[in-house]
Amino acid sequence: ATGSEVTPFPGIEVDEESIVSSTGALSLKEVPEKMIVIGAGVIGVELGSVWSRLGTQVTAVEFMGHVGGMGIDMDMSKQFQRIMTKQGLKFKLNTKVTGAKKEGGKITVSVESVKDGKVEDMVADVLLVCVGRRPYTQNLGLEELGIELDNRGRVPVNSRFQSVLPNVYAIGDCIAGPMLAHKAEDEAIISAEGMVGGPVHIDYNCVPSVVYTHPELAWVGKSEEDLKSEGVEYSVGKFPFAANSRAKCNNDTDGLVKILGDKHTDRLLGAHIIGPGAGEMINEAALAMEYGASCEDIARVCHAHPTCSEAFREANLAAWSGKAINNM
């Protein structure tokens, strides 16, 4: 369980002062006037939004054409980007960083459009490099033990988290799967139980993801893109927090709940939430999915009023019946 480390960006040396990783971004000595973030994935948007709220002009440069990283539902990504932009963040999508240099106390970042090749120089006080993390598996002596790594530097394991050496187990960021602390924690519990003869089971489709911005973004299960690629027919239910009484009372109405259910069986296939407390609310969806609940099952469960979680119920009602009650 050696975890992961920040993935370096070729040609850009991090000094944790003016060119920082996610670690250095937590301890800047002052609030910079301008910050450029390489990468608009989970960590880049989280830290970019923090410094934006503190008064920094933040621009995130992203190679892909959307924000939020891999696995995010594209519809929710667009909604999320719209909310972050309204808060003051700027995004340059489909853009790659070709270099960076220090000049007179500033950082000049060279970028190039992926679509038309247009080049541009951007200037900032701080450059935050957020291009992901990689497994921490080098210089551990694994090769001497006969444990080979896969093409991404991860330790291959079986369903019981055993490596090629049956008495050497691996969990968390150094094996395949999302690099999430709660995923690693579950793997630790399950592998320890398996060592003493207990059953070993984890459904990675029910591991939730959360982007800790404000509002939060969270999801579990399948996205629309997943279902389309798998040829699964599905229904969609949506409910905006603008129609939720608790969110209106709190003056915190940005976002929505989006539910994806099987068109024929009504089984809950995916839940996607942008809004207040999304990271808390998504656990109800994870529980429902673990138990194979239908959208109707959730719609018929009494939810306390007034709470933001009523929006989750209403979205499931819309996915099952075609319409919500309080959004007519």
Side-chain angles (χ1 to χ4, degrees):
T2 51
S4 60
E5 61 183 349
V6 172
T7 302
F9 192 94
I12 298 179
E13 185 176 346
V14 171
D15 59 18
E16 299 297 21
E17 292 182 0
S18 57
I19 301 179
V20 300
S21 68
S22 55
T23 302
L26 298 175
S27 54
L28 295 177
K29 294 181 175 62
E30 60 185 13
V31 177
E33 181 182 349
K34 293 184 179 181
M35 173 185 286
I36 293 173
V37 182
I38 304 179
V42 173
I43 300 174
V45 175
E46 286 177 341
L47 290 173
S49 69
V50 168
W51 287 104
S52 177
R53 288 198 295 274
L54 292 172
T56 301
Q57 298 176 38
V58 177
T59 301
V61 181
E62 172 57 53
F63 182 80
M64 295 192 293
H66 68 273
V67 306
M70 303 298 290
I72 190 172
D73 183 274
M74 289 300 105
D75 176 31
M76 299 299 276
S77 176
K78 291 175 184 176
Q79 300 267 8
F80 182 60
Q81 181 183 345
R82 190 176 300 122
I83 293 170
M84 291 294 104
T85 300
K86 188 170 69 173
Q87 292 181 6
L89 268 74
K90 296 180 180 179
F91 296 96
K92 293 183 75 69
L93 305 181
N94 296 302
T95 304
K96 65 180 179 180
V97 173
T98 57
K101 56 185 177 181
K102 298 179 182 179
E103 292 180 325
K106 303 284 187 179
I107 310 295
T108 300
V109 181
S110 300
V111 301
E112 179 182 331
S113 171
V114 175
K115 291 185 174 179
D116 58 20
K118 181 182 177 182
V119 296
E120 179 186 355
D121 283 343
M122 304 169 63
V123 179
D125 303 286
V126 172
L127 174 61
L128 170 55
V129 181
C130 283
V131 293
R133 300 183 67 84
R134 64 183 182 184
Y136 188 82
T137 51
Q138 297 298 318
N139 303 316
L140 298 178
L142 298 179
E143 295 80 4
E144 288 81 353
L145 292 175
I147 299 176
E148 295 184 358
L149 305 177
D150 67 13
N151 60 352
R152 296 180 64 180
R154 302 172 300 194
V155 178
V157 294
N158 62 17
S159 62
R160 306 183 74 84
F161 302 101
Q162 293 169 299
S163 68
V164 292
L165 298 181
N167 64 329
V168 177
Y169 292 72
I171 60 161
D173 289 2
C174 68
I175 69 170
M179 290 184 172
L180 300 169
H182 45 281
K183 172 257 196 187
E185 182 180 3
D186 273 25
E187 289 174 342
I189 295 168
I190 293 165
S191 63
E193 290 178 340
M195 291 177 195
V196 295
V200 177
H201 168 73
I202 181 170
D203 184 352
Y204 289 106
N205 188 53
C206 293
V207 175
S209 296
V210 184
V211 183
Y212 294 99
T213 48
H214 186 87
E216 293 178 346
L217 165 64
W219 69 88
V220 66
K222 303 292 186 180
S223 67
E224 279 203 66
E225 290 69 34
D226 293 332
L227 297 177
K228 287 176 182 176
S229 67
E230 295 170 10
V232 177
E233 292 186 302
Y234 61 92
S235 56
V236 180
K238 294 182 179 181
F239 192 85
F241 282 104
N244 174 266
S245 58
R246 179 67 176 271
K248 287 162 71 174
C249 288
N250 292 344
N251 194 27
D252 198 4
T253 57
D254 282 337
L256 74 157
V257 180
K258 176 180 177 179
I259 296 297
L260 303 174
D262 189 288
K263 191 171 184 177
H264 303 288
T265 67
D266 192 41
R267 182 169 182 154
L268 176 62
L269 300 177
H272 307 265
I273 307 171
I274 301 172
E280 301 290 342
M281 208 179 307
I282 201 65
N283 297 300
E284 181 179 355
L287 178 63
M289 288 179 59
E290 280 282 8
Y291 280 86
S294 67
C295 297
E296 181 185 1
D297 289 333
I298 300 165
R300 291 191 179 278
V301 172
C302 185
H303 285 59
H305 173 81
T307 60
C308 291
S309 63
E310 288 178 283
F312 181 73
R313 179 191 192 183
E314 294 267 20
N316 275 276
L317 178 59
W320 161 55
S321 70
K323 61 181 180 180
I325 291 177
N326 293 295
N327 190 34
M328 295 181 179

